[in-house]
mmCIF file of all heavy atoms in Angstrom:
data_model
loop_
_atom_site.group_PDB
_atom_site.id
_atom_site.type_symbol
_atom_site.label_atom_id
_atom_site.label_comp_id
_atom_site.label_asym_id
_atom_site.label_seq_id
_atom_site.Cartn_x
_atom_site.Cartn_y
_atom_site.Cartn_z
ATOM 1 N N ARG F 411 -37.638 -21.416 73.864
ATOM 2 C CA ARG F 411 -38.745 -20.650 73.216
ATOM 3 C C ARG F 411 -39.594 -21.614 72.379
ATOM 4 O O ARG F 411 -40.819 -21.603 72.438
ATOM 5 C CB ARG F 411 -38.195 -19.526 72.375
ATOM 6 C CG ARG F 411 -39.298 -18.647 71.768
ATOM 7 C CD ARG F 411 -38.755 -17.676 70.726
ATOM 8 N NE ARG F 411 -38.128 -16.521 71.321
ATOM 9 C CZ ARG F 411 -38.753 -15.404 71.663
ATOM 10 N NH1 ARG F 411 -40.066 -15.313 71.560
ATOM 11 N NH2 ARG F 411 -38.078 -14.361 72.143
ATOM 12 N N GLU F 412 -38.885 -22.428 71.609
ATOM 13 C CA GLU F 412 -39.581 -23.376 70.707
ATOM 14 C C GLU F 412 -40.553 -24.296 71.501
ATOM 15 O O GLU F 412 -41.721 -24.469 71.175
ATOM 16 C CB GLU F 412 -38.506 -24.199 70.039
ATOM 17 C CG GLU F 412 -38.895 -24.876 68.760
ATOM 18 C CD GLU F 412 -37.717 -25.747 68.286
ATOM 19 O OE1 GLU F 412 -36.637 -25.139 67.949
ATOM 20 O OE2 GLU F 412 -37.895 -26.956 68.206
ATOM 21 N N LEU F 413 -40.035 -24.886 72.603
ATOM 22 C CA LEU F 413 -40.905 -25.780 73.410
ATOM 23 C C LEU F 413 -42.021 -25.049 74.120
ATOM 24 O O LEU F 413 -43.108 -25.579 74.258
ATOM 25 C CB LEU F 413 -40.065 -26.595 74.427
ATOM 26 C CG LEU F 413 -39.136 -27.656 73.832
ATOM 27 C CD1 LEU F 413 -38.642 -28.611 74.929
ATOM 28 C CD2 LEU F 413 -39.840 -28.494 72.800
ATOM 29 N N MET F 414 -41.732 -23.828 74.607
ATOM 30 C CA MET F 414 -42.794 -23.093 75.301
ATOM 31 C C MET F 414 -43.936 -22.718 74.313
ATOM 32 O O MET F 414 -45.120 -22.840 74.629
ATOM 33 C CB MET F 414 -42.227 -21.750 75.907
ATOM 34 C CG MET F 414 -41.248 -21.893 77.063
ATOM 35 S SD MET F 414 -41.723 -22.779 78.543
ATOM 36 C CE MET F 414 -43.159 -21.976 79.122
ATOM 37 N N ILE F 415 -43.532 -22.297 73.117
ATOM 38 C CA ILE F 415 -44.556 -21.946 72.142
ATOM 39 C C ILE F 415 -45.327 -23.178 71.653
ATOM 40 O O ILE F 415 -46.553 -23.133 71.524
ATOM 41 C CB ILE F 415 -43.919 -21.176 70.942
ATOM 42 C CG1 ILE F 415 -43.423 -19.807 71.434
ATOM 43 C CG2 ILE F 415 -44.905 -20.982 69.758
ATOM 44 C CD1 ILE F 415 -42.710 -18.892 70.447
ATOM 45 N N LYS F 416 -44.615 -24.261 71.466
ATOM 46 C CA LYS F 416 -45.314 -25.505 71.079
ATOM 47 C C LYS F 416 -46.325 -25.936 72.151
ATOM 48 O O LYS F 416 -47.467 -26.264 71.836
ATOM 49 C CB LYS F 416 -44.213 -26.602 70.933
ATOM 50 C CG LYS F 416 -44.684 -27.829 70.264
ATOM 51 C CD LYS F 416 -43.538 -28.801 70.015
ATOM 52 C CE LYS F 416 -44.030 -30.185 69.805
ATOM 53 N NZ LYS F 416 -43.005 -31.178 70.036
ATOM 54 N N ALA F 417 -45.939 -25.837 73.418
ATOM 55 C CA ALA F 417 -46.858 -26.239 74.492
ATOM 56 C C ALA F 417 -48.000 -25.224 74.554
ATOM 57 O O ALA F 417 -49.160 -25.615 74.711
ATOM 58 C CB ALA F 417 -46.113 -26.296 75.822
ATOM 59 N N PHE F 418 -47.686 -23.946 74.430
ATOM 60 C CA PHE F 418 -48.740 -22.928 74.454
ATOM 61 C C PHE F 418 -49.768 -23.243 73.348
ATOM 62 O O PHE F 418 -50.970 -23.226 73.586
ATOM 63 C CB PHE F 418 -48.163 -21.536 74.226
ATOM 64 C CG PHE F 418 -49.170 -20.431 74.197
ATOM 65 C CD1 PHE F 418 -49.493 -19.710 75.334
ATOM 66 C CD2 PHE F 418 -49.882 -20.128 73.051
ATOM 67 C CE1 PHE F 418 -50.446 -18.725 75.326
ATOM 68 C CE2 PHE F 418 -50.871 -19.175 73.013
ATOM 69 C CZ PHE F 418 -51.166 -18.450 74.152
ATOM 70 N N GLN F 419 -49.242 -23.556 72.177
ATOM 71 C CA GLN F 419 -50.173 -23.804 71.044
ATOM 72 C C GLN F 419 -51.006 -25.047 71.247
ATOM 73 O O GLN F 419 -52.205 -25.070 70.896
ATOM 74 C CB GLN F 419 -49.421 -23.793 69.713
ATOM 75 C CG GLN F 419 -49.169 -22.356 69.289
ATOM 76 C CD GLN F 419 -48.127 -22.206 68.198
ATOM 77 O OE1 GLN F 419 -47.377 -23.144 67.946
ATOM 78 N NE2 GLN F 419 -48.058 -21.037 67.622
ATOM 79 N N ALA F 420 -50.397 -26.076 71.813
ATOM 80 C CA ALA F 420 -51.173 -27.329 72.080
ATOM 81 C C ALA F 420 -52.246 -27.043 73.077
ATOM 82 O O ALA F 420 -53.396 -27.514 72.919
ATOM 83 C CB ALA F 420 -50.234 -28.386 72.594
ATOM 84 N N VAL F 421 -51.962 -26.296 74.106
ATOM 85 C CA VAL F 421 -52.975 -25.920 75.109
ATOM 86 C C VAL F 421 -54.032 -25.032 74.511
ATOM 87 O O VAL F 421 -55.226 -25.248 74.723
ATOM 88 C CB VAL F 421 -52.276 -25.248 76.369
ATOM 89 C CG1 VAL F 421 -53.320 -24.734 77.339
ATOM 90 C CG2 VAL F 421 -51.356 -26.220 77.072
ATOM 91 N N HIS F 422 -53.575 -24.072 73.748
ATOM 92 C CA HIS F 422 -54.542 -23.150 73.141
ATOM 93 C C HIS F 422 -55.463 -23.833 72.206
ATOM 94 O O HIS F 422 -56.682 -23.526 72.128
ATOM 95 C CB HIS F 422 -53.735 -22.022 72.416
ATOM 96 C CG HIS F 422 -54.583 -21.004 71.853
ATOM 97 N ND1 HIS F 422 -54.365 -20.473 70.633
ATOM 98 C CD2 HIS F 422 -55.706 -20.410 72.298
ATOM 99 C CE1 HIS F 422 -55.320 -19.592 70.345
ATOM 100 N NE2 HIS F 422 -56.128 -19.525 71.351
ATOM 101 N N LYS F 423 -54.961 -24.832 71.493
ATOM 102 C CA LYS F 423 -55.786 -25.571 70.552
ATOM 103 C C LYS F 423 -56.927 -26.282 71.316
ATOM 104 O O LYS F 423 -58.103 -26.238 70.895
ATOM 105 C CB LYS F 423 -54.918 -26.585 69.806
ATOM 106 C CG LYS F 423 -55.643 -27.220 68.653
ATOM 107 C CD LYS F 423 -54.659 -27.976 67.757
ATOM 108 C CE LYS F 423 -55.480 -28.765 66.731
ATOM 109 N NZ LYS F 423 -54.890 -30.071 66.494
ATOM 110 N N ILE F 424 -56.587 -26.885 72.425
ATOM 111 C CA ILE F 424 -57.627 -27.564 73.216
ATOM 112 C C ILE F 424 -58.614 -26.565 73.766
ATOM 113 O O ILE F 424 -59.839 -26.761 73.754
ATOM 114 C CB ILE F 424 -56.987 -28.378 74.369
ATOM 115 C CG1 ILE F 424 -56.131 -29.534 73.754
ATOM 116 C CG2 ILE F 424 -58.028 -28.941 75.311
ATOM 117 C CD1 ILE F 424 -55.343 -30.288 74.768
ATOM 118 N N SER F 425 -58.080 -25.416 74.224
ATOM 119 C CA SER F 425 -58.934 -24.363 74.750
ATOM 120 C C SER F 425 -59.938 -23.916 73.701
ATOM 121 O O SER F 425 -61.108 -23.651 73.994
ATOM 122 C CB SER F 425 -58.012 -23.234 75.257
ATOM 123 O OG SER F 425 -58.596 -21.990 75.082
ATOM 124 N N THR F 426 -59.452 -23.897 72.439
ATOM 125 C CA THR F 426 -60.344 -23.475 71.338
ATOM 126 C C THR F 426 -61.376 -24.533 70.985
ATOM 127 O O THR F 426 -62.586 -24.295 70.909
ATOM 128 C CB THR F 426 -59.479 -23.133 70.117
ATOM 129 O OG1 THR F 426 -58.490 -22.180 70.523
ATOM 130 C CG2 THR F 426 -60.286 -22.557 68.986
ATOM 131 N N THR F 427 -60.848 -25.781 70.757
ATOM 132 C CA THR F 427 -61.765 -26.817 70.296
ATOM 133 C C THR F 427 -62.764 -27.247 71.370
ATOM 134 O O THR F 427 -63.905 -27.555 71.072
ATOM 135 C CB THR F 427 -60.980 -28.061 69.776
ATOM 136 O OG1 THR F 427 -60.067 -28.431 70.805
ATOM 137 C CG2 THR F 427 -60.229 -27.765 68.488
ATOM 138 N N GLU F 428 -62.284 -27.228 72.621
ATOM 139 C CA GLU F 428 -63.190 -27.697 73.712
ATOM 140 C C GLU F 428 -63.928 -26.535 74.347
ATOM 141 O O GLU F 428 -64.738 -26.758 75.266
ATOM 142 C CB GLU F 428 -62.355 -28.434 74.817
ATOM 143 C CG GLU F 428 -61.608 -29.643 74.312
ATOM 144 C CD GLU F 428 -62.559 -30.812 74.015
ATOM 145 O OE1 GLU F 428 -63.475 -31.039 74.814
ATOM 146 O OE2 GLU F 428 -62.366 -31.462 72.982
ATOM 147 N N ASN F 429 -63.576 -25.312 73.993
ATOM 148 C CA ASN F 429 -64.176 -24.104 74.541
ATOM 149 C C ASN F 429 -64.021 -24.062 76.083
ATOM 150 O O ASN F 429 -65.012 -23.917 76.798
ATOM 151 C CB ASN F 429 -65.616 -23.977 74.098
ATOM 152 C CG ASN F 429 -66.055 -22.523 74.151
ATOM 153 O OD1 ASN F 429 -65.259 -21.649 74.417
ATOM 154 N ND2 ASN F 429 -67.340 -22.263 73.953
ATOM 155 N N VAL F 430 -62.801 -24.282 76.508
ATOM 156 C CA VAL F 430 -62.500 -24.193 77.982
ATOM 157 C C VAL F 430 -61.386 -23.194 78.165
ATOM 158 O O VAL F 430 -60.716 -22.801 77.198
ATOM 159 C CB VAL F 430 -62.052 -25.572 78.517
ATOM 160 C CG1 VAL F 430 -63.183 -26.569 78.429
ATOM 161 C CG2 VAL F 430 -60.841 -26.110 77.783
ATOM 162 N N ASP F 431 -61.191 -22.806 79.417
ATOM 163 C CA ASP F 431 -60.117 -21.854 79.675
ATOM 164 C C ASP F 431 -58.748 -22.552 79.568
ATOM 165 O O ASP F 431 -58.666 -23.775 79.458
ATOM 166 C CB ASP F 431 -60.317 -21.093 80.981
ATOM 167 C CG ASP F 431 -60.330 -22.019 82.203
ATOM 168 O OD1 ASP F 431 -59.800 -23.132 82.087
ATOM 169 O OD2 ASP F 431 -60.850 -21.633 83.243
ATOM 170 N N MET F 432 -57.670 -21.755 79.652
ATOM 171 C CA MET F 432 -56.352 -22.291 79.426
ATOM 172 C C MET F 432 -55.942 -23.295 80.554
ATOM 173 O O MET F 432 -55.213 -24.220 80.346
ATOM 174 C CB MET F 432 -55.346 -21.166 79.345
ATOM 175 C CG MET F 432 -55.469 -20.318 78.101
ATOM 176 S SD MET F 432 -54.930 -21.194 76.579
ATOM 177 C CE MET F 432 -53.183 -20.878 76.588
ATOM 178 N N ARG F 433 -56.448 -23.061 81.808
ATOM 179 C CA ARG F 433 -56.129 -24.013 82.882
ATOM 180 C C ARG F 433 -56.690 -25.367 82.580
ATOM 181 O O ARG F 433 -55.965 -26.370 82.631
ATOM 182 C CB ARG F 433 -56.699 -23.501 84.196
ATOM 183 C CG ARG F 433 -56.764 -24.588 85.293
ATOM 184 C CD ARG F 433 -55.890 -24.448 86.462
ATOM 185 N NE ARG F 433 -55.993 -23.188 87.084
ATOM 186 C CZ ARG F 433 -54.964 -22.503 87.561
ATOM 187 N NH1 ARG F 433 -53.732 -22.973 87.458
ATOM 188 N NH2 ARG F 433 -55.139 -21.338 88.132
ATOM 189 N N LEU F 434 -57.964 -25.400 82.272
ATOM 190 C CA LEU F 434 -58.604 -26.701 82.007
ATOM 191 C C LEU F 434 -57.959 -27.358 80.767
ATOM 192 O O LEU F 434 -57.766 -28.548 80.733
ATOM 193 C CB LEU F 434 -60.133 -26.526 81.876
ATOM 194 C CG LEU F 434 -60.934 -27.825 81.904
ATOM 195 C CD1 LEU F 434 -60.537 -28.753 83.013
ATOM 196 C CD2 LEU F 434 -62.444 -27.474 81.982
ATOM 197 N N ALA F 435 -57.677 -26.526 79.770
ATOM 198 C CA ALA F 435 -57.047 -27.038 78.534
ATOM 199 C C ALA F 435 -55.680 -27.703 78.865
ATOM 200 O O ALA F 435 -55.393 -28.815 78.403
ATOM 201 C CB ALA F 435 -56.878 -25.958 77.561
ATOM 202 N N ALA F 436 -54.862 -27.020 79.683
ATOM 203 C CA ALA F 436 -53.579 -27.611 80.029
ATOM 204 C C ALA F 436 -53.743 -28.868 80.852
ATOM 205 O O ALA F 436 -52.992 -29.837 80.654
ATOM 206 C CB ALA F 436 -52.753 -26.545 80.829
#
Side-chain angles (χ1 to χ4, degrees):
R411 184 190 282 274
E412 201 183 298
L413 288 195
M414 294 302 303
I415 292 178
K416 191 173 161 201
F418 179 95
Q419 280 165 344
V421 172
H422 182 221
K423 190 166 171 219
I424 294 175
S425 146
T426 306
T427 51
E428 300 288 318
N429 205 5
V430 294
D431 62 21
M432 292 289 276
R433 163 113 51 221
L434 191 48

